Amino acid sequence: NEKEVILQLNTISKIYKAIKAKNVIIHPHQLPSPKILRRYNFKISTENLPKRYNITISDLKRIFKKYPKFGFCLDISHAFSFSKYETSRLIKAFRNKITQIHFSCRYKNKDHQSLKTASREFLLSIEPIKKLNLPIIIETGFKKISLKPIKEEIEYLKKFFL
């Protein structure tokens, strides 16, 4: 529904300005038309999604052709759902478009898990991000509302980059 999309984008635009945001992520399967997006003055990125959405690197290339100003948010958990090589492939394909990294683990076929659950294979698959100097968004679903697990995740993340 176009009216609903415009209402949502108007709200996003107000929030973006109010908090001085730097980027808005819109999933590739939910992208409004370029005509609608031209009305807005905020930075937009799209991201790679888990394999179940069947959005491939080729699909993302087509999206970037249609929306050339878009950035790319690299989600390493989603990448691992394709293969242990997908993070490298995405970096190779979109290095100059990457605006940020959504950082979490894929464990037992579930996205956005704590890095403490990461397998050796997962950790090896994300080694290439160490060469990128980009903002990292911790995208882990914490079961408890507490600072302790958040602090632990941050410490784990720091160790990964050392």
Side-chain angles (χ1 to χ4, degrees), residues 27-29 31 46-65 72-74 78-79 81-83 86-87 89-91 93-94:
H27 286 169
H29 65 292
L31 293 171
T46 195
E47 74 174 289
N48 56 303
L49 293 179
K51 190 173 185 174
R52 70 180 176 273
Y53 287 92
N54 199 30
I55 296 173
T56 65
I57 290 174
S58 295
D59 296 323
L60 289 168
K61 285 180 179 178
R62 281 191 287 282
I63 288 168
F64 291 128
K65 225 176 208 176
F72 178 60
C73 171
L74 172 59
H78 296 169
S81 72
F82 278 84
S83 83
E86 193 71 2
T87 294
R89 290 177 184 140
L90 287 163
I91 291 170
F94 305 116

Side-chain angles (χ1 to χ4, degrees), residues 14-159:
K14 287 177 190 171
I15 294 168
Y16 185 91
K17 289 174 187 164
I19 66 170
K20 296 181 173 87
K22 293 189 175 33
N23 200 19
V24 173
I25 306 296
I26 303 178
H27 286 169
H29 65 292
Q30 298 173 322
L31 293 171
S33 73
K35 180 183 170 191
I36 290 174
L37 288 176
R38 277 189 214 107
R39 303 175 192 179
Y40 300 94
N41 190 24
F42 48 77
K43 174 77 176 148
I44 300 172
S45 292
T46 195
E47 74 174 289
N48 56 303
L49 293 179
K51 190 173 185 174
R52 70 180 176 273
Y53 287 92
N54 199 30
I55 296 173
T56 65
I57 290 174
S58 295
D59 296 323
L60 289 168
K61 285 180 179 178
R62 281 191 287 282
I63 288 168
F64 291 128
K65 225 176 208 176
K66 186 174 180 179
Y67 301 89
K69 292 183 179 178
F70 274 21
F72 178 60
C73 171
L74 172 59
D75 190 307
I76 60 174
S77 176
H78 296 169
F80 196 71
S81 72
F82 278 84
S83 83
K84 63 184 178 183
Y85 306 108
E86 193 71 2
T87 294
S88 290
R89 290 177 184 140
L90 287 163
I91 291 170
K92 184 177 179 187
F94 305 116
R95 179 182 296 273
N96 295 331
K97 286 201 156 288
I98 302 173
T99 56
Q100 64 192 46
I101 299 167
H102 280 181
F103 207 97
S104 63
C105 175
R106 183 169 177 83
Y107 179 69
K108 293 188 177 180
N109 291 323
K110 291 183 183 176
D111 289 316
H112 309 136
Q113 302 300 304
S114 169
L115 292 169
K116 291 186 286 185
T117 64
S119 67
R120 182 164 155 54
E121 184 178 47
F122 180 83
L123 293 172
L124 287 172
S125 80
I126 63 172
E127 277 291 315
I129 69 167
K130 288 182 176 180
K131 295 176 184 165
L132 304 175
N133 184 19
L134 294 163
I136 290 176
I137 293 31
I138 297 174
E139 197 179 29
T140 303
F142 297 105
K143 290 188 168 104
K144 293 181 188 176
I145 300 174
S146 163
L147 284 179
K148 186 176 185 251
I150 296 168
K151 287 179 180 178
E152 289 171 353
E153 200 74 5
I154 291 168
E155 287 307 310
Y156 193 91
L157 186 63
K158 286 178 182 176
K159 287 178 189 168

